[in-house]
Amino acid sequence: MKNIYKIAVIAGDGIGPEVISEGIKVLDKAAELDGSFEFEFTHFPWGCEYYLKHGQMMPVDGLDQLRSFDAIYLGAVGYPGVPDHISLWDLLLKIRKGFHQYVNLRPITLLEGAPCPLNDVPREQIDMLVIRENSEGEYAGAGDWLFKGQPHEVVLQTGIFSRVGTERIIRYAFEEARKQGKSLTSISKGNALNYSMVFWDQVFDEVAKEYPDVETNSYLVDAAAMFFVKQPWRFEIVVTSNLFGDIITDLGAAIAGGLGLAAGANINPEREYPSMFEPIHGSAPDIAGKGIANPLASIWSASQMLDFFGHEDWGKRVLAAMEQVMVEGNTLTPDMGGTANTKEVGDAVAEKTQVIHATEIGVIPITPATL
Ligand code: NAI
Ligand code: MG
């Protein structure tokens, strides 16, 4: 009996549908080669176009419609004509919060063949996993806008750091560091944010006592930004708040191949709700419809989905296939200096996934039925 993974696809706006198709292609290829599982995709036409017709980014019962799926595969949402805070809050953040996807996993690994703007930094030294708090903190949406439009108007944007929320993300990061045998670095800002980040640092120190085997570091976010560029080798597993994680992972993306390569997974660790996989870039209206969007970020998030379902061997294969495509350099989109289109890059990765040998990527060899 085959395992069937039910995936809700929200391709979204702009280049979202273009890059998601290529991720689906690679997922289907992995499933076909393995033979023991398959994907069943259900497409939801939600996003800005939907908003312009219906006044909302997704139906009122959108979360109910998604709940029974094993995972959500998201392209990007946002398009000129709909304010960004609406597209973000009414869909992306609603799903992240509604489904308790409180862990955001963003790998910052410089793959072989990927462009890097840093000189003198060996590739192996850019290899980290940023674990970002994904449910509260600075993006809790708490605040007020008083006396709007009047000369004495006041705006409040409140960060919310609950004990439960702070502890669970830090604990998750310690578990991951222990599992991988790596150091854990906390990024905060206790000197200036004298409540929230002092609390964050305190909880980090408390939880650290339970993990004496894990080496820890703690940096202020501004210093961390500098070290990301100057000495990225300092970071292995990183844990940080919602806002800092958002910013620092775009910086990370810049040193590890660019936005066209950066992926993220929104995880509900208890698996009570579907987790969501997405490229971290947006809908790129400037290149939408031209067929030149780089699908590698979306394919990387597909590989995270394979990991999540316990098919780490296939997840690694997909990354290795991406590396081969980049090293050969014949089939790359314009943002990476190539002339290929989105579909050609997707085809190339799918093809490499088929021919790559497990032994080349250091995983336990598997013998797919159809290989
Ligand atoms: P963006 O990530 O869409 O684009 C920034 C720049 O990177 C653009 O020049 C774009 O062409 C380029 N780029 C991005 N992804 C690319 C890819 N796969 N291949 C080649 N080039 C790529 O960010 P921007 O322009 O700030 O936002 C555009 C819209 O996307 C906005 O409405 C924004 O709110 C939304 N957005 C949505 C996100 C999501 O759904 N997760 C995340 C970030 C932005
Ligand atoms: Mg971001």
Side-chain angles (χ1 to χ4, degrees):
M1 259 277 284
K2 276 190 185 185
N3 255 338
I4 297 179
Y5 302 120
K6 284 168 39 202
I7 312 298
V9 180
I10 307 173
D13 306 310
I15 62 168
E18 301 171 34
V19 296
I20 284 294
S21 311
E22 305 313 309
I24 288 177
K25 187 183 285 174
V26 172
L27 286 171
D28 277 341
K29 174 59 80 176
E32 175 201 323
L33 292 169
D34 185 278
S36 76
F37 62 92
E38 68 183 38
F39 292 96
E40 194 182 282
F41 299 99
T42 306
H43 294 260
F44 293 87
W46 302 340
C48 288
E49 219 170 287
Y50 188 92
Y51 178 88
L52 294 175
K53 277 195 209 126
H54 304 276
Q56 50 204 10
M57 294 289 289
M58 64 178 185
V60 184
D61 68 346
L63 290 185
D64 292 331
Q65 294 191 39
L66 296 173
R67 198 177 307 268
S68 63
F69 286 87
D70 296 312
I72 301 163
Y73 193 29
L74 178 90
V77 287
Y79 217 69
V82 178
D84 283 345
H85 68 274
I86 291 183
S87 49
L88 194 70
W89 273 97
D90 202 33
L91 194 142
L92 191 65
L93 295 184
K94 211 182 233 176
I95 297 173
R96 284 183 184 168
K97 285 174 198 290
F99 287 160
H100 298 235
Q101 295 167 348
Y102 61 85
V103 176
N104 190 198
L105 297 179
R106 294 191 165 184
I108 309 284
T109 298
L110 184 60
L111 296 183
E112 244 183 280
C116 176
L118 306 182
N119 295 325
D120 312 325
V121 176
R123 191 178 56 77
E124 308 72 45
Q125 293 193 354
I126 302 179
D127 186 10
M128 57 181 113
L129 175 65
V130 177
I131 299 176
R132 165 191 177 197
E133 204 294 317
N134 211 30
S135 65
E136 51 171 42
E138 308 88 342
Y139 292 3
D144 210 339
W145 196 318
L146 303 168
F147 317 114
K148 201 167 185 173
Q150 298 178 40
H152 56 295
E153 66 188 326
V154 175
V155 179
L156 306 169
Q157 187 85 48
T158 308
I160 300 210
F161 291 77
S162 67
R163 171 151 297 265
V164 167
T166 308
E167 227 178 271
R168 70 186 175 188
I169 191 69
I170 289 176
R171 199 175 294 283
Y172 184 95
F174 269 104
E175 286 293 330
E176 193 61 32
R178 174 177 277 173
K179 197 169 91 191
Q180 294 197 27
K182 292 187 171 167
S183 68
L184 176 62
T185 298
S186 163
I187 295 180
S188 62
K189 186 72 185 171
N191 55 349
L193 298 172
N194 53 339
Y195 297 107
S196 58
M197 288 295 156
V198 170
F199 176 69
W200 175 282
D201 289 344
Q202 180 191 312
V203 173
F204 186 76
D205 290 343
E206 280 171 23
V207 178
K209 292 201 175 71
E210 298 170 35
Y211 297 84
D213 50 313
V214 176
E215 182 196 327
T216 59
N217 304 293
S218 189
Y219 296 120
L220 298 172
V221 66
D222 39 356
M226 189 260 302
F227 285 138
F228 257 51
V229 173
K230 291 295 221 183
Q231 299 172 348
W233 48 263
R234 284 175 181 262
F235 304 95
E236 292 184 337
I237 310 287
V238 174
V239 65
T240 191
S241 71
N242 212 331
L243 168 68
F244 293 168
D246 190 5
I247 299 171
I248 208 100
T249 52
D250 266 32
L251 179 59
I255 63 168
L259 265 187
L261 257 178
N266 305 275
I267 304 288
N268 170 244
E270 293 76 22
R271 301 194 182 216
E272 287 171 291
Y273 301 97
S275 292
M276 179 163 68
F277 300 81
E278 53 167 341
I280 80 172
H281 61 69
S283 58
D286 52 339
I287 57 164
K290 296 186 179 156
I292 53 165
N294 189 345
L296 292 177
S298 159
I299 295 173
W300 194 330
S301 60
S303 110
Q304 287 186 298
M305 195 191 292
L306 287 163
D307 291 348
F308 177 76
F309 286 133
H311 301 294
E312 286 96 347
D313 44 358
W314 284 108
K316 280 192 184 143
R317 267 182 193 227
V318 169
L319 288 187
M322 284 170 47
E323 285 188 314
Q324 286 203 357
V325 168
M326 288 189 289
V327 168
E328 287 176 12
N330 306 322
T331 319
L332 296 172
T333 43
D335 58 301
M336 292 183 83
T339 54
N341 63 35
T342 309
K343 190 175 161 302
E344 286 164 345
V345 175
D347 287 343
V349 176
E351 192 197 311
K352 295 283 182 205
T353 303
Q354 174 149 8
V355 298
I356 211 156
H357 287 290
T359 46
E360 285 176 47
I361 49 172
V363 297
I364 301 156
I366 46 175
T367 47
T370 44
L371 260 185

